[in-house]
Each structure stands twice: as C-alpha cells, then as structure tokens.
Amino acid sequence: MAEPPVRRREFFEYAIIRVIPRVDRGECINAGVVLYSQAFDFLGARTFLDVPRLCALDRTADSVQTRAALAAWELVCAGAPGGGPAASEPLGRRFRWLTAPRSAVVQPGPVHGGLTANPAAELDRLFDLLVL
C-alpha cells in the first residue's frame, strides 16, 4: 500500500493586528492575524474585536469604527471591491502595505515567519493562539 504524499512545508510570514485605542498610551489588544505565503499564493486575515477589553483600555473607544477598520484588513486580503485600491494589488504588495508601520488605532505588529504545509490552517492556529 502506497503512503499518502507528504505535503511540502513552505515559508510564510504573519503579523498580529493590534488595536491601540489611545496611541498616546501605547496599550493594545490583539485583534487579528494576517498571514502571507508566496509559495502557496495565499493571503488571509482573521479578526475579532473583544469589545469589553477595548472599553477597559478606553471607555470612549468607538467599537463600530474599530470593527470597520478590522473588516477592511479582511477585504484587502480577499481582494474584495470594498478593500479599496490596495485590494487590487498582487498578494505580496498587499501584505507589505498592510504590515507597514502606521500610527492609527488599528496597527500591524512586527512581521514573523515560519514553515507550514497549510497556510489557511496555520492562520486559524495563530488566530486561536494569539487573539482568542
């Protein structure tokens, strides 16, 4: 009986998506993960806003606007029309654009790397580990 083929493990990059309701204070919560794999032609993001945690950092924070900003990350990754001009760029450019440093309420963390045979499953694993 032949053994099932071994899936190749390829390099991927990811960043945590952080919400910093008061940039002047620098306090943040992890609200998502964006993952890119050139080898698998994959770019994806998963987000979740923990509103009680957000309000613990800033009780005046606008959770509706923050959720909209997080949803934009997912739209850009998906190449959706609602993602604006960045959504039509090649995957690598989209990832670099999303992970470029910025001073805003929703910010990327540092980019990290790893190896995976399944980038979608790796995105789920990192999301569960780092956000939930």
Side-chain angles (χ1 to χ4, degrees):
M1 194 184 258
E3 293 196 22
V6 176
R7 294 192 67 189
R8 71 187 195 281
R9 290 172 37 119
E10 298 288 346
F11 181 72
F12 71 92
E13 300 172 87
Y14 75 95
I16 296 170
I17 304 167
R18 305 178 300 185
V19 172
I20 305 172
R22 290 194 45 197
V23 176
D24 59 318
R25 291 179 57 159
E27 299 167 329
C28 67
I29 59 173
N30 294 348
V33 177
V34 58
L35 186 143
Y36 170 62
S37 171
Q38 181 179 9
F40 286 106
D41 198 32
F42 179 89
L43 177 64
R46 291 205 45 209
T47 63
F48 169 75
L49 182 61
D50 186 333
V51 175
R53 288 185 71 201
L54 175 68
C55 292
L57 295 180
D58 180 3
R59 69 182 93 154
T60 66
D62 186 339
S63 64
V64 173
Q65 288 287 20
T66 304
R67 276 194 178 117
L70 290 168
W73 283 67
E74 294 186 44
L75 292 172
V76 170
C77 286
S88 64
E89 293 289 332
L91 297 183
R93 282 185 141 163
R94 281 187 246 167
F95 180 74
R96 299 287 170 241
W97 183 80
L98 287 167
T99 57
R102 56 182 49 89
S103 180
V105 171
V106 178
Q107 298 182 9
V111 175
H112 304 281
L115 294 173
T116 187
N118 184 335
E122 187 67 27
L123 176 60
D124 290 341
R125 185 188 76 79
L126 290 169
F127 181 75
D128 291 345
L129 178 69
L130 302 170
V131 178
L132 296 182

